[in-house]
């Protein structure tokens, strides 16, 4: 029995749940009528799974163990919500593709304002991979600016981590923390690349290429990597970046337009596992 389930957001469908070992479609998390324009999914500090619905301009909550609906977290302004992550102080960061910024919410779902000014450090089209790093900074890929910026919540300052088109990247979207805690994997949809980004100095090296629609990366149960590819989900060797074949076939279970992926324990208690986000 596989210990984990793979959640895949379908922008044109809904969130689909698969066996993370075999790729078998198990069920849909919810109807498209609620998860319209599904994007980022992350565990909150309360142990619930938060799902961003861009077209629906809403963020919904689910139990990761039973997959039951747990309520609406927030309705957003017309900002094009894509990414989400959770700070230890209770702040919830939501990336706005259309607003070119990141909004701050409190733990009750109340909007408290922007984290930084629209377009700060050249960001254009903040993406699904927006994530807090181990250094306490927020990292934000820019789809249209082809870069990655850093926001320091302690000072309010932003800075460029990855300059536009560095390493040939085009339309970067996903970020995943490496097991060493010193690097991110960065998925660039437009250039079909997965890069390794060193957090300390922004050094960028290519890890994998030749992918199609590489929007997000996640850790597989066997220690390898999963990446959105060609309308499905492929497996990559975590050491070499070699493509090990498809885990989820294009269109499986009605999947249409995959964006974000995450792997969670099959019988997850309501306890956050930051390594899977």
């Amino acid at each position: 029995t596989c210990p984990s389930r793979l959640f895949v957001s379908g922008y044109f469908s809904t969130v689909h749940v698969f066996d993370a070992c075999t790729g078998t479609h198990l069920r849909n998390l919810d109807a498209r009528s609620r998860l319209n324009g599904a994007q980022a999914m992350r565990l909150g500090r309360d142990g619930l799974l938060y799902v961003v619905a861009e077209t629906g301009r809403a963020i919904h909550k689910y139990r990761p163990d039973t997959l039951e609906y747990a309520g609406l977290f927030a309705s957003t302004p017309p900002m094009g919500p894509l990414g989400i992550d959770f700070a230890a102080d209770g702040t919830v960061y939501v990336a706005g593709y259309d607003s070119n910024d990141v909004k701050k919410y409190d733990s009750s779902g109340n909007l408290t304002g922007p984290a930084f000014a629209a377009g700060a450090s050249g960001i254009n089209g903040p993406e699904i991979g927006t994530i807090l790093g181990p250094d306490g900074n927020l990292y934000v890929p820019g789809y249209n600016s082809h870069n990655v910026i850093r926001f320091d919540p302690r000072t309010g300052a932003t800075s460029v981590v990855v300059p536009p088109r560095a390493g040939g990247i085009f339309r970067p979207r996903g970020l995943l923390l490496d097991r060493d805690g010193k690097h991110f994997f960065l998925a660039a949809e437009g250039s079909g690349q997965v890069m390794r980004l060193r957090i300390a100095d922004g050094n960028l090296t290519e890890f994998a290429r030749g992918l199609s629609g590489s929007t997000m990366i996640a850790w597989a149960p066997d220690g390898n990597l999963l990446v959105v590819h060609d309308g499905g989900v492929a497996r990559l060797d975590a050491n070499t970046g070699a493509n090990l074949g498809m885990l989820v076939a294009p269109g499986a279970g009605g999947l249409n337009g995959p964006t974000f992926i995450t792997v969670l324990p099959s019988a997850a208690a309501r306890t956050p596992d930051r390594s899977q986000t």
Side-chain angles (χ1 to χ4, degrees):
T1 301
C2 187
S4 305
R5 293 182 290 212
L6 168 65
F7 294 75
V8 184
S9 291
Y11 183 79
F12 299 109
S13 49
T14 182
V15 173
H16 306 265
V17 186
F18 299 89
D19 184 297
C21 300
T22 67
T24 301
H25 182 249
L26 302 175
R27 55 168 285 181
N28 292 339
L29 180 63
D30 208 336
R32 175 172 168 77
S33 56
R34 179 174 283 154
L35 297 179
N36 193 358
Q39 296 280 12
M41 304 171 285
R42 295 195 191 275
L43 287 179
R45 297 285 170 177
D46 56 4
L48 294 173
L49 180 65
Y50 287 66
V51 182
V52 179
E54 180 186 5
T55 308
R57 285 166 42 187
I59 302 167
H60 298 283
K61 301 181 291 184
Y62 296 85
R63 289 186 60 99
D65 49 359
T66 64
L67 308 184
E68 293 175 291
Y69 184 63
L72 175 71
F73 170 68
S75 294
T76 76
M79 58 184 283
L82 263 67
I84 188 169
D85 207 3
F86 305 85
D89 66 0
T91 301
V92 181
Y93 293 101
V94 179
Y97 180 86
D98 295 333
S99 58
N100 288 322
D101 66 4
V102 173
K103 307 290 189 190
K104 297 189 295 182
Y105 289 78
D106 65 23
S107 58
S108 298
N110 300 304
L111 177 63
T112 60
F116 51 80
S121 294
I123 193 72
N124 188 339
E127 266 294 345
I128 56 176
T130 297
I131 187 173
L132 285 155
D135 56 1
N137 294 318
L138 187 73
Y139 290 80
V140 187
Y143 185 84
N144 297 314
S145 49
H146 316 291
N147 66 349
V148 179
I149 73 166
R150 177 195 296 117
F151 166 69
D152 187 338
R154 294 149 294 208
T155 66
T158 63
S159 58
V160 175
V161 180
V162 178
R165 306 291 182 91
I169 63 169
F170 188 65
R171 295 178 176 170
R173 300 196 67 182
L175 283 171
L176 173 72
L177 186 64
D178 198 348
R179 298 290 194 194
D180 64 7
K182 299 178 181 179
H183 296 81
F184 284 119
F185 289 101
L186 170 65
E189 180 182 30
S191 52
Q193 297 167 290
V194 173
M195 312 293 285
R196 288 189 84 235
L197 168 62
R198 191 161 60 204
I199 296 171
D201 59 8
N203 182 65
L204 196 66
T205 57
E206 189 173 79
F207 178 73
R209 65 182 301 118
L211 299 164
S212 175
S214 46
T215 57
M216 191 61 195
I217 325 100
W219 288 103
D222 63 3
N224 283 313
L225 289 166
L226 302 175
V227 62
V228 174
H229 168 57
D230 196 27
V233 180
R235 300 180 298 123
L236 299 181
D237 186 294
N239 296 311
T240 68
N243 192 326
L244 303 176
M246 299 298 286
L247 175 69
V248 175
L255 175 63
N256 191 351
T259 57
F260 202 93
I261 58 174
T262 191
V263 175
L264 298 174
S266 297
R270 288 178 55 184
T271 302
D273 180 358
R274 303 296 288 177
S275 68
Q276 299 299 326
T277 61

